[in-house]
Amino acid sequence: LCCCEYVDRRGRRNHLAACCCDCEELDDGCDRWLTCKSLPPGALERIADTIADRLRVPWFSGAVKINVSLVPPLVLLPVFLHVAALHFLLGLIILTSLPVVVLWYYYLTHRRKERTLFFLSLGLFSLGYMYYVFLREVVPRGHVEYSQVVALTCGLILMLAALSRAKKDPGYLPIPSGKEKPSHQGLPNKSVGGSSIGLHGISGAASSRAVNGEAKGYCRVSAEHPEGVKKDWCAKCQLVRPARAGHCRLCGRCVRRLDHHCVWINSCVGEQNHQAFILALSFFMLTSVYGITLTLHTICRGRTLFVALVYCPGAYSDYSSALSFTCVWYCAIVTAGMGYILLIQLLNISYNVTEREARLALRDNTGRRLLGGLVIDTGQYNRGLLCNWGHFLSLGSSPPQRSAEDIV
């Protein structure tokens, strides 16, 4: 293939120059629209799939397909922020509507059980664009020292490094091969449907409860007494899961100590990457708050942080300060959302409960609401604050115990 050629979704060789040619679905849709006929079922989905398949850029070994979900943040975010900087009312309308649009898109993709790079690209591009505005509009004013720029840059680099680690394997359970698939005969048929985060095949609450008041981190199996096994069968992955593991409907895999599927990293948060996920959130909070502080002290001099965030009379005196102030408010909204996520995660760690377990306990009415409902204590694995944090800090430090299919 040359740099402008590609193999389309039907397996045929095609060229970028023919991106608007031979689109049968689009032609049929236009004909029906002109003749006032209704579209057949699935016509819009087929048209969207064709457009997504032809949206490519030239590359050395053939045209590379562009993920459509990457485009909106790269195009719309700078446009919206620049428009919001034109007037205070425009900024109020846009900054209010942006979270609503993001939440709407989240529920849309979550209901369809779709994975998307929209949120990851939005987060990464927001970081890059805020850093660019800071260097271009704030630093030249001369009120930010060189050491402060270095500190902000180091915080950004550390956050990206932690994010890169969080994107790695969250602790996927190995899928058994065709010859090694364990038989599910004799396993209990009772199973619980997927929770709101898309979990399937979770056994009853009694199957994961502690023995003699002590919780087990993983399913321990005796080869001599297989009938005493805590049987937690996943019909999707065709394997017996250890305790606290769960199936993610978006990733299509079972994960050890599954916490939740995070759309911001487009991956699950489990045993192997939970620490990196918390670290990335912490570095983001510190870096974002520090950048907001430096910017407000530059464009709203003589005012405290919270007063400047609400009342900054000279913010719209020129376009540069207006853009900086708009970006500060955008960062404040994002930081508040991420701060809430970090708070819930820290509380869950303190009570040794995962987000998945908390939602299952809410559904089955088996947990206690604490701190105004911010945390759900299931009572299964809670061994005190210090022991809970010690358990969390030791995640992934030792090889996981063998699962049932390995022993059997």
Side-chain angles (χ1 to χ4, degrees), residues 1 8-9 35 38 54 71 103 178 200 218 238-239 252 290-291 296-297 300 316 318 326 332 349 366 373 375 387 408:
L1 298 176
D8 61 19
R9 61 193 180 99
T35 55
S38 60
R54 297 185 180 188
V71 179
L103 286 175
H200 301 276
Y218 293 99
Q238 297 289 295
L239 52 80
Y290 187 58
L296 288 179
H297 284 172
C300 301
Y316 287 87
D318 60 274
T326 302
I349 294 171
T366 57
V375 64
C387 290
V408 174

Side-chain angles (χ1 to χ4, degrees), residues 54-279:
R54 297 185 180 188
L55 188 62
R56 299 171 180 265
V57 293
W59 199 246
F60 298 104
S61 58
V64 178
K65 185 178 178 180
I66 300 176
N67 195 311
V68 181
S69 60
L70 296 174
V71 179
L74 302 181
V75 177
L76 297 181
L77 181 63
V79 173
F80 283 160
L81 291 179
H82 279 275
V83 172
L86 295 176
H87 195 272
F88 171 75
L89 293 179
L90 286 174
L92 183 63
I93 294 173
I94 291 177
L95 293 178
T96 304
S97 60
L98 274 179
V100 176
V101 173
V102 172
L103 286 175
W104 169 80
Y105 186 74
Y106 166 74
Y107 285 113
L108 180 65
T109 55
H110 189 73
R111 186 172 65 251
R112 294 180 178 178
K113 305 178 184 179
E114 296 177 354
R115 295 189 66 179
T116 175
L117 292 175
F118 173 84
F119 300 98
L120 179 60
S121 63
L122 176 62
L124 293 178
F125 186 68
S126 296
L127 286 173
Y129 192 71
M130 296 304 105
Y131 187 68
Y132 167 77
V133 171
F134 178 79
L135 295 180
R136 182 186 177 93
E137 306 293 345
V138 179
V139 174
R141 293 176 179 265
H143 301 295
V144 179
E145 299 179 0
Y146 177 76
S147 58
Q148 294 174 325
V149 178
V150 172
L152 185 69
T153 305
C154 290
L156 185 63
I157 294 174
L158 290 174
M159 193 278 297
L160 292 176
L163 181 62
S164 176
R165 175 62 187 86
K167 282 284 296 175
K168 295 183 179 179
D169 181 14
Y172 291 124
L173 288 173
I175 299 178
S177 60
K179 295 181 180 180
E180 299 176 354
K181 283 186 179 180
S183 172
H184 60 276
Q185 294 179 357
L187 291 177
N189 293 325
K190 293 182 180 180
S191 61
V192 181
S195 70
S196 58
I197 54 174
L199 305 164
H200 301 276
I202 308 300
S203 61
S207 64
S208 58
R209 291 192 180 278
V211 178
N212 296 328
E214 218 169 302
K216 301 292 183 181
Y218 293 99
C219 181
R220 299 178 182 237
V221 184
S222 172
E224 292 79 16
H225 304 283
E227 55 273 358
V229 174
K230 296 179 183 179
K231 296 161 185 173
D232 189 5
W233 175 258
C234 178
K236 298 288 185 180
C237 298
Q238 297 289 295
L239 52 80
V240 178
R241 296 180 302 210
R244 309 191 79 176
H247 184 88
C248 176
R249 66 178 182 179
L250 298 179
C251 296
R253 297 283 300 276
C254 284
V255 182
R256 293 186 183 275
R257 197 183 179 276
L258 175 63
D259 189 85
H260 69 289
H261 181 94
C262 181
V263 296
W264 294 105
I265 65 174
N266 195 33
S267 177
C268 289
V269 177
E271 183 179 84
Q272 297 297 321
N273 67 340
H274 201 168
Q275 296 174 354
F277 178 72
I278 296 298
L279 200 59

